[in-house]
Amino acid sequence: MSLDPIIATGNAAREPLRVPVHMGVIMDGNGRWAKARGKRRTEGHIEGVKSLRNLVELCITHGVAHLTVFSFSSENWSRPREEIAFIFNLLRRFVASDLQRLIRNNVRVRIIGTRAGLEPSLLRLIDDVEAKTAGNTGLVLVVAFNYGGKAEIADATRRIAVEVAAGRLLPEQITEQTIEAALYTAGLPDPDLIVRTSGEQRISNFLLWQAAYSELVFVDENWPDFNEASFMRVLETFTRRERRFGGIEAASS
Ligand code: IPE
Ligand code: IPE
Ligand code: MG
């Protein structure tokens, strides 16, 4: 289990902030943000992309190594067709408009989720952005798109079952590591912090396996309103949390 780095905030008088190695974000509340302003839901999604761009910069500045954002869930298929099409186009536009900036900022992009059923042109785009940023060594930006935690675990189980059926793996050889290696997030550390905006307090099928020991922080702002001050407040909350991993308080040991 890796320990989170403690970094100075630049203000020597303040407590140093603990920065997560891997931060997950459930970017929720775009629709409510728009509704509160008499706008269409789609306008909330556009503003949400601006917040995401801003968050990427904040993670780079503050030294978060991995950022996973939930951008479209397997359950979001139940939304109106036009809204789904809009969100898909927004992903295309984000890649087109931000790819050069991501490369310049040394960001490595990884897209996790179910690929089956996605349009071939979208799949090419996903492969392209991953390939063009594969050599980058800075922030790892993981975009959970068409992602569901249960689907991910089912996919992993299927892959392991294929190995067992082929005689390459014995059932008694299956460990937590076998499952981890078969998940979409293979090779990534588990998120130490998961943030959800918009006041909802649930996981909604995000990183189910990986969230086993994540600190959960729920904030009231809708995603388009999440800014640098919100980010710093989240880090302050995370810094105050005592992570025990089933053990006892550090002071009692
Ligand atoms: C999050 O905002 C974006 C996606 C789920 C794609 P919502 O669209 O869920 O906004 P609310 O929760 O309806 O306000
Ligand atoms: C979770 O938000 C999914 C994303 C942010 C992409 P939802 O808005 O889909 O979640 P529920 O329906 O409120 O649980
Ligand atoms: Mg929502």
Side-chain angles (χ1 to χ4, degrees):
M1 212 162 294
S2 63
L3 287 177
D4 316 317
I6 306 257
I7 59 142
T9 55
N11 177 349
R14 275 167 64 186
E15 279 281 291
L17 283 181
R18 191 178 288 275
V19 174
V21 173
H22 182 176
M23 177 172 174
V25 181
I26 302 173
M27 309 184 291
D28 196 16
N30 292 349
R32 278 163 285 168
W33 180 92
K35 193 173 173 214
R37 286 161 182 78
K39 297 174 190 280
R40 288 188 301 271
R41 291 181 57 85
T42 48
E43 298 191 53
H45 295 314
I46 293 176
E47 285 301 308
V49 172
K50 295 184 191 164
S51 271
L52 171 59
R53 207 170 271 140
N54 197 28
L55 176 67
V56 168
E57 306 262 333
L58 288 166
C59 286
I60 294 171
T61 306
H62 293 277
V64 174
H66 306 84
L67 168 67
T68 300
V69 292
F70 204 4
S71 81
F72 188 83
S73 80
S74 345
E75 289 70 35
N76 288 147
W77 286 104
S78 62
R79 295 191 178 201
R81 209 151 34 103
E82 309 76 60
E83 182 169 343
I84 297 172
F86 191 88
I87 294 170
F88 275 53
N89 274 326
L90 217 49
L91 176 75
R92 290 175 198 271
R93 274 159 53 189
F94 175 73
V95 171
S97 62
D98 285 54
L99 183 59
Q100 289 313 318
R101 187 203 314 249
L102 292 167
I103 292 172
R104 236 185 0 260
N105 284 337
N106 199 18
V107 176
R108 178 166 167 197
V109 181
R110 190 158 150 183
I111 301 190
I112 59 166
T114 307
R115 303 225 170 163
L118 295 184
E119 271 181 33
S121 66
L122 187 58
L123 290 174
R124 274 198 301 278
L125 190 80
I126 287 173
D127 287 342
D128 191 51
V129 68
E130 287 188 336
K132 286 192 171 133
T133 62
N136 290 347
T137 54
L139 174 73
V140 178
L141 171 62
V142 184
V143 181
F145 186 81
N146 197 21
Y147 173 89
K150 287 189 175 184
E152 177 183 35
I153 294 169
D155 274 357
T157 308
R158 203 173 306 112
R159 274 192 237 172
I160 294 167
V162 167
E163 293 301 298
V164 173
R168 290 189 291 265
L169 185 70
L170 295 170
E172 52 272 29
Q173 289 174 319
I174 298 173
T175 61
E176 291 184 11
Q177 285 70 36
T178 319
I179 296 169
E180 268 158 19
L183 294 172
Y184 306 142
T185 51
L188 291 171
D190 285 345
D192 23 18
L193 167 66
I194 292 179
V195 180
R196 181 171 189 149
T197 59
S198 87
E200 306 294 356
Q201 304 198 352
R202 55 178 169 263
I203 283 284
S204 299
N205 208 9
F206 185 54
L207 300 179
L208 292 184
W209 171 283
Q210 300 85 341
Y213 266 103
S214 303
E215 292 299 326
L216 306 179
V217 175
F218 300 104
V219 302
D220 285 333
E221 298 102 299
N222 286 320
W223 176 245
D225 286 328
F226 190 88
N227 58 20
E228 181 167 13
S230 331
F231 179 84
M232 297 314 290
R233 276 196 298 275
V234 164
L235 290 194
E236 280 157 19
T237 304
F238 178 63
T239 300
R240 287 195 303 269
R241 295 279 175 90
E242 195 199 327
R243 310 193 69 204
R244 287 200 283 272
F245 302 104
I248 55 172
E249 299 170 57
S252 324
S253 60

